[in-house]
Amino acid sequence: MFSSFRPCLAFFTAALLLSPFSLAYQSPLSDEAVREAYFLGQRHDDSMARLLNCYTKVLPPPATGPHIYSVTFLTPFALLVQYSSRQSNYSAQQAEKDHYPDAEIVSIQIQVFLTPSYGAVIPTPTSTRSGSPIGYQLRPSVFWKDVKVEIFDGEKKLSTDSLSGEPTYFCSDGCILSGANIRLEFLATAFTSDTATIHVLPPEGDPVSVDFDLSTLR
């Protein structure tokens, strides 16, 4: 069991004392759940970070290849909390008007870091001439497209046209490519099982597989 489970359970139990709700993935969200998400987002304290931590699993670095650092499974409830936290002069009534039950989505986010074995600088293609010096070039910022992701609802493999990514950079005196964030979106109704599995297959190194127990996620 992941070590983050108990803090998450404690977080949800504390919220339960404020407002009753079931500890399970739900779509479409009830009016009560929409209000609960709104108020959690409007608290503007560390509860936002603690909440999102419950939907994220952090992975150890690999022996070789890029580091699949974290996988996040954001339910409609979590996304609504996130959205509410970004709004100012926002009311619970407006949150209810902004919510469209038929358009609820799940957002799966994968954070990738470059490593010493899979870095920002790579050799240029070798020349056919023997004795030619080895040149180097920057890794393309779209390297994340070589990271393959498979999503399963229970045993059923899902597909989506909503796949995007953006590079991340480390900046000091200058900026250098440090990794990427990959995002996939699905209609919330695509998930009908209690388990969601994310397989991530990097271009180098071992694949990783992460399971989410949807019965424990709000």
Side-chain angles (χ1 to χ4, degrees), residues 9 20-21 28 48 50-51 62 64 69 76 85 99 101-102 128 131 136 140 144 149 159 162 181 185 188 190 204 210:
L9 183 60
F21 57 75
M48 177 69 183
R50 288 188 291 127
L51 173 72
T64 60
Y69 176 75
S85 73
H99 177 246
D102 294 338
T128 56
Y136 292 90
W144 60 268
V149 184
S159 61
S162 181
N181 294 320
E185 291 184 351
E204 296 180 18
V210 176

Side-chain angles (χ1 to χ4, degrees), residues 1 24 43 50 57 59 75-76 81 101 114 121 137 151 155 163-164 178-179:
M1 181 178 294
R43 287 169 66 174
R50 288 188 291 127
K57 294 187 178 181
L59 305 170
T75 63
V81 173
L114 299 182
V121 178
Q137 64 186 25
I151 310 297
E155 299 296 324
L163 168 65
S164 61
S178 63

